[in-house]
Amino acid sequence: MDIPSEDPTSLPTPRRVRLLNREDRLYHVILAQQFDRDIIDHLCRIAEMTRIIGDTRAGARFLNSILSHKRAMLYFIQPSTRTFLSFAAACQILGMPYNDVRDPSTSSEVKGETEDDTVRVLSQYFDIIIMRHPSEGFAETMANKLNGIRRCIPLLNGGSGKDQHPTQALLDIYTLYRCFAPSSVERIRQDPERNLFAGKTIAFVGDLKRGRTVRSLAYLLARYPGVRLLFVAPDELQIGDDILEHLTRNEIEHELKSDLPKTIGECNAVYMTRLQDEHDKDGESRSIDLSRFSLTPELQDQLRPDLAILHPLPRRAELDTCYDSDPRAKYWDQMRNGMWVRAALIAHVFNVDGQILDHYYSHFNY
Ligand code: NCD
């Protein structure tokens, strides 16, 4: 195994990706740049099959057996509701027992144990670590440390500081996939040429500078030539130049905008986000006027009938509750989609996704 002596986060992206993947399979899942079109398409198909299989008693029993010999550690030392619960549910779907650490004050870290040593300890008792951590590069550094130890186990990033949240991006793209290919038959059909996003306009709205879900989803959407991305935010909260450069390099049409009401009419999907004020030094972002970056009741009648409204949640005032029962609201679906696609991802990492595929084709493909 190639073990870098320098900080892995400072290496060129292709080398970082090579250190995290194992041949054509994802192993440590840390960066959205690890996902290409084939793997996104594959995981969406496996998620779709898993939810169909899981709907029957016999199917749920089958799914429950495939990872019952493994154990998961959910190391979530930053607040989380959906990501934590959906990973927990995904483990349960696959029959994999899990334990969690959510408060490091209850672990030996209070006795001075380093976080490095803590991760090594976890690797002795568990077969996979799923981690949410406030520091940007921590999960990647730990994944590379795990590469160097005898009992290497996969590490999945459930949110790393302001940087990335690749599994949220995966559930977001799976949700869009379900919106743009509404029939299950179409979603399961294998078609490497299919590009559901060509000709679609998708707007990201809100705190794009510090929203890690937006950054990761932009990387995934950059895999689809013909998609058009709009970044709708006040100047102070606009998306980072690294993402814009990535889109330019990949010839993805994109534009910065500063007014949601004037932009919404062009969009097939809108991805709302909240103010990420936990990253403020001194509450400075609270004085920013976000009224032109909110889905208000007044806008409801002006939206296209087929608009998909997404939000990773939690929300603040940027998404009025009047949308909650609107059929265009997909944010409730996002949560459930997250459970299925995370189950698909875990199955892929353990190389048992082929069992799900075989089971689907032998039991449900009529
Ligand atoms: C997001 C996160 O943690 O980055 N939430 C989530 O995982 N569903 C978005 C946010 O906190 O704003």
Short mmCIF file of all heavy atoms in Angstrom, two decimals, residues 108-152:
data_model
loop_
_atom_site.label_atom_id
_atom_site.label_comp_id
_atom_site.label_asym_id
_atom_site.label_seq_id
_atom_site.Cartn_x
_atom_site.Cartn_y
_atom_site.Cartn_z
N SER A 108 -11.95 7.54 26.32
CA SER A 108 -10.64 7.74 26.96
C SER A 108 -9.93 8.99 26.47
O SER A 108 -8.84 9.31 26.95
CB SER A 108 -9.74 6.52 26.71
OG SER A 108 -10.10 5.52 27.62
N GLU A 109 -10.56 9.70 25.52
CA GLU A 109 -9.95 10.97 25.08
C GLU A 109 -9.83 11.93 26.26
O GLU A 109 -8.92 12.75 26.30
CB GLU A 109 -10.75 11.57 23.93
CG GLU A 109 -10.52 10.81 22.64
CD GLU A 109 -11.35 11.32 21.47
OE1 GLU A 109 -11.37 12.54 21.25
OE2 GLU A 109 -11.96 10.50 20.78
N VAL A 110 -10.74 11.83 27.25
CA VAL A 110 -10.63 12.71 28.43
C VAL A 110 -9.40 12.35 29.27
O VAL A 110 -8.91 13.16 30.05
CB VAL A 110 -11.88 12.70 29.35
CG1 VAL A 110 -12.99 13.53 28.80
CG2 VAL A 110 -12.36 11.31 29.66
N LYS A 111 -8.90 11.11 29.09
CA LYS A 111 -7.69 10.73 29.83
C LYS A 111 -6.43 11.06 29.03
O LYS A 111 -5.35 10.62 29.33
CB LYS A 111 -7.72 9.22 30.13
CG LYS A 111 -8.85 8.83 31.08
CD LYS A 111 -8.72 7.41 31.58
CE LYS A 111 -9.56 6.45 30.77
NZ LYS A 111 -9.41 5.06 31.17
N GLY A 112 -6.64 11.78 27.93
CA GLY A 112 -5.48 12.24 27.15
C GLY A 112 -5.21 11.36 25.94
O GLY A 112 -4.22 11.57 25.25
N GLU A 113 -6.06 10.36 25.66
CA GLU A 113 -5.82 9.54 24.47
C GLU A 113 -6.03 10.41 23.23
O GLU A 113 -6.99 11.17 23.14
CB GLU A 113 -6.81 8.36 24.45
CG GLU A 113 -6.56 7.42 23.30
CD GLU A 113 -6.90 5.96 23.66
OE1 GLU A 113 -8.07 5.70 23.99
OE2 GLU A 113 -5.99 5.12 23.62
N THR A 114 -5.13 10.30 22.27
CA THR A 114 -5.26 11.13 21.07
C THR A 114 -6.39 10.58 20.20
O THR A 114 -6.74 9.40 20.29
CB THR A 114 -3.96 11.12 20.23
OG1 THR A 114 -3.73 9.77 19.82
CG2 THR A 114 -2.79 11.64 21.03
N GLU A 115 -6.90 11.44 19.30
CA GLU A 115 -7.95 10.99 18.37
C GLU A 115 -7.37 9.91 17.45
O GLU A 115 -8.06 8.97 17.08
CB GLU A 115 -8.46 12.17 17.56
CG GLU A 115 -9.37 13.08 18.36
CD GLU A 115 -9.93 14.22 17.53
OE1 GLU A 115 -9.14 14.89 16.85
OE2 GLU A 115 -11.15 14.44 17.56
N ASP A 116 -6.09 10.04 17.11
CA ASP A 116 -5.42 9.02 16.29
C ASP A 116 -5.50 7.66 16.93
O ASP A 116 -5.88 6.66 16.30
CB ASP A 116 -3.91 9.31 16.23
CG ASP A 116 -3.54 10.28 15.17
OD1 ASP A 116 -4.32 11.21 14.96
OD2 ASP A 116 -2.47 10.08 14.58
N ASP A 117 -5.13 7.62 18.22
CA ASP A 117 -5.16 6.33 18.93
C ASP A 117 -6.59 5.83 19.05
O ASP A 117 -6.85 4.63 18.94
CB ASP A 117 -4.52 6.47 20.32
CG ASP A 117 -3.00 6.45 20.25
OD1 ASP A 117 -2.47 6.31 19.13
OD2 ASP A 117 -2.35 6.59 21.31
N THR A 118 -7.53 6.75 19.25
CA THR A 118 -8.94 6.33 19.38
C THR A 118 -9.38 5.60 18.12
O THR A 118 -10.01 4.55 18.19
CB THR A 118 -9.83 7.57 19.64
OG1 THR A 118 -9.36 8.20 20.82
CG2 THR A 118 -11.29 7.20 19.81
N VAL A 119 -9.01 6.14 16.95
CA VAL A 119 -9.43 5.51 15.69
C VAL A 119 -8.78 4.12 15.56
O VAL A 119 -9.42 3.16 15.13
CB VAL A 119 -9.11 6.43 14.49
CG1 VAL A 119 -9.36 5.72 13.17
CG2 VAL A 119 -9.95 7.70 14.57
N ARG A 120 -7.51 4.02 15.97
CA ARG A 120 -6.86 2.70 15.93
C ARG A 120 -7.57 1.69 16.84
O ARG A 120 -7.72 0.52 16.49
CB ARG A 120 -5.41 2.80 16.41
CG ARG A 120 -4.48 3.27 15.34
CD ARG A 120 -3.16 3.58 15.98
NE ARG A 120 -2.18 3.95 14.99
CZ ARG A 120 -1.27 3.09 14.49
NH1 ARG A 120 -1.21 1.86 14.89
NH2 ARG A 120 -0.42 3.51 13.58
N VAL A 121 -8.01 2.18 18.01
CA VAL A 121 -8.74 1.30 18.94
C VAL A 121 -10.02 0.81 18.26
O VAL A 121 -10.33 -0.38 18.26
CB VAL A 121 -9.08 2.06 20.25
CG1 VAL A 121 -10.01 1.25 21.13
CG2 VAL A 121 -7.80 2.42 21.01
N LEU A 122 -10.73 1.75 17.63
CA LEU A 122 -12.00 1.38 16.99
C LEU A 122 -11.78 0.32 15.92
O LEU A 122 -12.60 -0.58 15.74
CB LEU A 122 -12.66 2.62 16.35
CG LEU A 122 -12.99 3.77 17.30
CD1 LEU A 122 -13.60 4.93 16.53
CD2 LEU A 122 -13.94 3.32 18.40
N SER A 123 -10.64 0.40 15.23
CA SER A 123 -10.40 -0.55 14.15
C SER A 123 -10.20 -1.97 14.68
O SER A 123 -10.30 -2.93 13.92
CB SER A 123 -9.18 -0.12 13.32
OG SER A 123 -7.99 -0.38 14.05
N GLN A 124 -9.94 -2.12 15.95
CA GLN A 124 -9.77 -3.46 16.52
C GLN A 124 -11.11 -4.13 16.83
O GLN A 124 -11.22 -5.34 16.83
CB GLN A 124 -8.93 -3.42 17.81
CG GLN A 124 -7.53 -2.87 17.60
CD GLN A 124 -6.73 -3.65 16.55
OE1 GLN A 124 -6.73 -4.87 16.55
NE2 GLN A 124 -6.07 -2.93 15.67
N TYR A 125 -12.13 -3.32 17.12
CA TYR A 125 -13.41 -3.89 17.54
C TYR A 125 -14.46 -3.92 16.43
O TYR A 125 -15.46 -4.61 16.56
CB TYR A 125 -13.99 -3.08 18.71
CG TYR A 125 -13.11 -3.06 19.94
CD1 TYR A 125 -12.79 -1.86 20.56
CD2 TYR A 125 -12.61 -4.25 20.48
CE1 TYR A 125 -12.00 -1.83 21.68
CE2 TYR A 125 -11.81 -4.22 21.60
CZ TYR A 125 -11.50 -3.02 22.20
OH TYR A 125 -10.71 -3.00 23.31
N PHE A 126 -14.25 -3.10 15.40
CA PHE A 126 -15.30 -2.94 14.38
C PHE A 126 -14.76 -3.24 12.99
O PHE A 126 -13.55 -3.39 12.81
CB PHE A 126 -15.87 -1.51 14.46
CG PHE A 126 -16.52 -1.24 15.78
CD1 PHE A 126 -15.82 -0.64 16.82
CD2 PHE A 126 -17.82 -1.65 16.02
CE1 PHE A 126 -16.41 -0.44 18.06
CE2 PHE A 126 -18.43 -1.45 17.25
CZ PHE A 126 -17.71 -0.85 18.27
N ASP A 127 -15.67 -3.33 12.03
CA ASP A 127 -15.29 -3.65 10.65
C ASP A 127 -15.45 -2.46 9.72
O ASP A 127 -15.08 -2.53 8.55
CB ASP A 127 -16.14 -4.82 10.15
CG ASP A 127 -15.94 -6.03 11.05
OD1 ASP A 127 -14.86 -6.62 11.00
OD2 ASP A 127 -16.85 -6.34 11.86
N ILE A 128 -16.07 -1.39 10.19
CA ILE A 128 -16.20 -0.16 9.42
C ILE A 128 -16.40 0.99 10.41
O ILE A 128 -17.03 0.79 11.46
CB ILE A 128 -17.39 -0.26 8.41
CG1 ILE A 128 -17.46 0.96 7.50
CG2 ILE A 128 -18.74 -0.48 9.12
CD1 ILE A 128 -18.43 0.80 6.32
N ILE A 129 -15.85 2.15 10.08
CA ILE A 129 -16.08 3.35 10.90
C ILE A 129 -16.82 4.35 10.03
O ILE A 129 -16.42 4.61 8.88
CB ILE A 129 -14.75 4.00 11.37
CG1 ILE A 129 -13.95 3.01 12.23
CG2 ILE A 129 -15.02 5.29 12.15
CD1 ILE A 129 -12.54 3.50 12.58
N ILE A 130 -17.89 4.90 10.57
CA ILE A 130 -18.62 5.97 9.88
C ILE A 130 -18.43 7.20 10.78
O ILE A 130 -18.72 7.13 11.98
CB ILE A 130 -20.10 5.60 9.68
CG1 ILE A 130 -20.17 4.26 8.92
CG2 ILE A 130 -20.85 6.72 8.94
CD1 ILE A 130 -21.51 3.59 8.95
N MET A 131 -17.90 8.27 10.21
CA MET A 131 -17.42 9.37 11.06
C MET A 131 -17.96 10.73 10.66
O MET A 131 -17.95 11.08 9.48
CB MET A 131 -15.89 9.41 10.96
CG MET A 131 -15.25 10.58 11.68
SD MET A 131 -13.47 10.58 11.46
CE MET A 131 -13.00 9.22 12.49
N ARG A 132 -18.43 11.48 11.63
CA ARG A 132 -18.69 12.91 11.42
C ARG A 132 -17.76 13.67 12.36
O ARG A 132 -17.72 13.38 13.56
CB ARG A 132 -20.14 13.26 11.73
CG ARG A 132 -20.37 14.76 11.72
CD ARG A 132 -21.81 15.13 11.74
NE ARG A 132 -22.42 14.93 10.42
CZ ARG A 132 -23.57 15.49 10.05
NH1 ARG A 132 -24.22 16.28 10.87
NH2 ARG A 132 -24.05 15.26 8.85
N HIS A 133 -17.03 14.63 11.79
CA HIS A 133 -16.01 15.32 12.58
C HIS A 133 -15.95 16.79 12.19
O HIS A 133 -16.12 17.13 11.03
CB HIS A 133 -14.64 14.65 12.31
CG HIS A 133 -13.62 14.95 13.34
ND1 HIS A 133 -12.89 16.11 13.32
CD2 HIS A 133 -13.21 14.25 14.43
CE1 HIS A 133 -12.08 16.11 14.37
NE2 HIS A 133 -12.24 15.00 15.05
N PRO A 134 -15.72 17.69 13.18
CA PRO A 134 -15.71 19.12 12.86
C PRO A 134 -14.51 19.60 12.05
O PRO A 134 -14.56 20.68 11.46
CB PRO A 134 -15.71 19.81 14.25
CG PRO A 134 -15.25 18.78 15.21
CD PRO A 134 -15.61 17.44 14.63
N SER A 135 -13.41 18.81 12.00
CA SER A 135 -12.22 19.29 11.28
C SER A 135 -12.21 18.77 9.85
O SER A 135 -12.39 17.56 9.63
CB SER A 135 -10.93 18.82 11.94
OG SER A 135 -10.99 19.10 13.29
N GLU A 136 -11.91 19.66 8.92
CA GLU A 136 -11.97 19.34 7.49
C GLU A 136 -11.23 18.06 7.07
O GLU A 136 -11.82 17.17 6.52
CB GLU A 136 -11.45 20.52 6.66
CG GLU A 136 -12.52 21.53 6.31
CD GLU A 136 -12.76 22.55 7.42
OE1 GLU A 136 -12.00 22.56 8.39
OE2 GLU A 136 -13.71 23.32 7.32
N GLY A 137 -9.95 17.98 7.35
CA GLY A 137 -9.19 16.85 6.78
C GLY A 137 -9.10 15.63 7.68
O GLY A 137 -8.43 14.65 7.32
N PHE A 138 -9.77 15.65 8.83
CA PHE A 138 -9.53 14.59 9.82
C PHE A 138 -9.89 13.19 9.29
O PHE A 138 -9.10 12.25 9.42
CB PHE A 138 -10.30 14.91 11.11
CG PHE A 138 -10.01 13.93 12.21
CD1 PHE A 138 -8.81 13.99 12.91
CD2 PHE A 138 -10.92 12.93 12.54
CE1 PHE A 138 -8.51 13.08 13.91
CE2 PHE A 138 -10.63 12.02 13.53
CZ PHE A 138 -9.43 12.09 14.23
N ALA A 139 -11.05 13.05 8.69
CA ALA A 139 -11.48 11.73 8.22
C ALA A 139 -10.49 11.19 7.18
O ALA A 139 -10.13 10.00 7.20
CB ALA A 139 -12.89 11.79 7.63
N GLU A 140 -10.01 12.06 6.30
CA GLU A 140 -9.08 11.61 5.26
C GLU A 140 -7.74 11.21 5.88
O GLU A 140 -7.14 10.19 5.51
CB GLU A 140 -8.88 12.72 4.23
CG GLU A 140 -8.03 12.26 3.06
CD GLU A 140 -7.97 13.27 1.93
OE1 GLU A 140 -8.62 14.32 2.02
OE2 GLU A 140 -7.28 12.98 0.94
N THR A 141 -7.27 12.00 6.83
CA THR A 141 -6.01 11.67 7.51
C THR A 141 -6.15 10.32 8.21
O THR A 141 -5.25 9.47 8.14
CB THR A 141 -5.64 12.79 8.50
OG1 THR A 141 -5.58 14.00 7.76
CG2 THR A 141 -4.32 12.56 9.17
N MET A 142 -7.27 10.10 8.87
CA MET A 142 -7.49 8.83 9.58
C MET A 142 -7.58 7.66 8.60
O MET A 142 -7.07 6.57 8.87
CB MET A 142 -8.77 8.89 10.43
CG MET A 142 -8.62 9.73 11.66
SD MET A 142 -7.23 9.19 12.68
CE MET A 142 -6.23 10.64 12.65
N ALA A 143 -8.24 7.88 7.46
CA ALA A 143 -8.35 6.81 6.46
C ALA A 143 -6.96 6.40 6.01
O ALA A 143 -6.64 5.21 5.86
CB ALA A 143 -9.18 7.28 5.27
N ASN A 144 -6.08 7.39 5.81
CA ASN A 144 -4.71 7.09 5.39
C ASN A 144 -3.91 6.43 6.50
O ASN A 144 -3.07 5.59 6.23
CB ASN A 144 -4.05 8.35 4.84
CG ASN A 144 -4.47 8.60 3.41
OD1 ASN A 144 -4.00 7.95 2.48
ND2 ASN A 144 -5.43 9.50 3.23
N LYS A 145 -4.21 6.77 7.74
CA LYS A 145 -3.55 6.08 8.86
C LYS A 145 -4.00 4.62 8.91
O LYS A 145 -3.20 3.72 9.12
CB LYS A 145 -3.91 6.76 10.19
CG LYS A 145 -3.17 8.04 10.44
CD LYS A 145 -2.80 8.16 11.91
CE LYS A 145 -1.67 9.07 12.19
NZ LYS A 145 -1.49 10.31 11.66
N LEU A 146 -5.29 4.42 8.69
CA LEU A 146 -5.81 3.04 8.69
C LEU A 146 -5.13 2.21 7.59
O LEU A 146 -4.85 1.03 7.78
CB LEU A 146 -7.34 3.04 8.51
CG LEU A 146 -8.15 3.49 9.73
CD1 LEU A 146 -9.61 3.76 9.34
CD2 LEU A 146 -8.10 2.45 10.84
N ASN A 147 -4.85 2.84 6.45
CA ASN A 147 -4.16 2.13 5.35
C ASN A 147 -2.83 1.55 5.81
O ASN A 147 -2.35 0.57 5.24
CB ASN A 147 -3.89 3.08 4.18
CG ASN A 147 -5.12 3.29 3.31
OD1 ASN A 147 -6.07 2.52 3.38
ND2 ASN A 147 -5.10 4.33 2.50
N GLY A 148 -2.23 2.18 6.82
CA GLY A 148 -0.90 1.75 7.25
C GLY A 148 -0.92 0.74 8.39
O GLY A 148 0.14 0.33 8.86
N ILE A 149 -2.08 0.36 8.88
CA ILE A 149 -2.08 -0.59 10.01
C ILE A 149 -2.55 -1.96 9.55
O ILE A 149 -3.16 -2.10 8.49
CB ILE A 149 -2.93 -0.08 11.21
CG1 ILE A 149 -4.41 -0.07 10.89
CG2 ILE A 149 -2.45 1.29 11.67
CD1 ILE A 149 -5.28 0.23 12.10
N ARG A 150 -2.21 -2.98 10.35
CA ARG A 150 -2.48 -4.35 9.93
C ARG A 150 -3.98 -4.61 9.75
O ARG A 150 -4.40 -5.24 8.80
CB ARG A 150 -1.89 -5.33 10.94
CG ARG A 150 -1.10 -6.42 10.26
CD ARG A 150 -0.36 -7.29 11.25
NE ARG A 150 0.34 -6.53 12.27
CZ ARG A 150 0.32 -6.85 13.58
NH1 ARG A 150 -0.34 -7.88 14.00
NH2 ARG A 150 0.99 -6.12 14.45
N ARG A 151 -4.78 -4.12 10.70
CA ARG A 151 -6.23 -4.35 10.57
C ARG A 151 -6.87 -3.09 9.97
O ARG A 151 -7.51 -2.31 10.68
CB ARG A 151 -6.84 -4.72 11.91
CG ARG A 151 -8.25 -5.24 11.76
CD ARG A 151 -8.80 -5.94 12.99
NE ARG A 151 -9.99 -6.69 12.61
CZ ARG A 151 -11.16 -6.14 12.35
NH1 ARG A 151 -11.34 -4.85 12.47
NH2 ARG A 151 -12.18 -6.91 11.97
N CYS A 152 -6.68 -2.94 8.67
CA CYS A 152 -7.27 -1.77 7.99
C CYS A 152 -8.76 -2.02 7.77
O CYS A 152 -9.15 -3.09 7.31
CB CYS A 152 -6.57 -1.53 6.66
SG CYS A 152 -7.24 -0.12 5.76
#
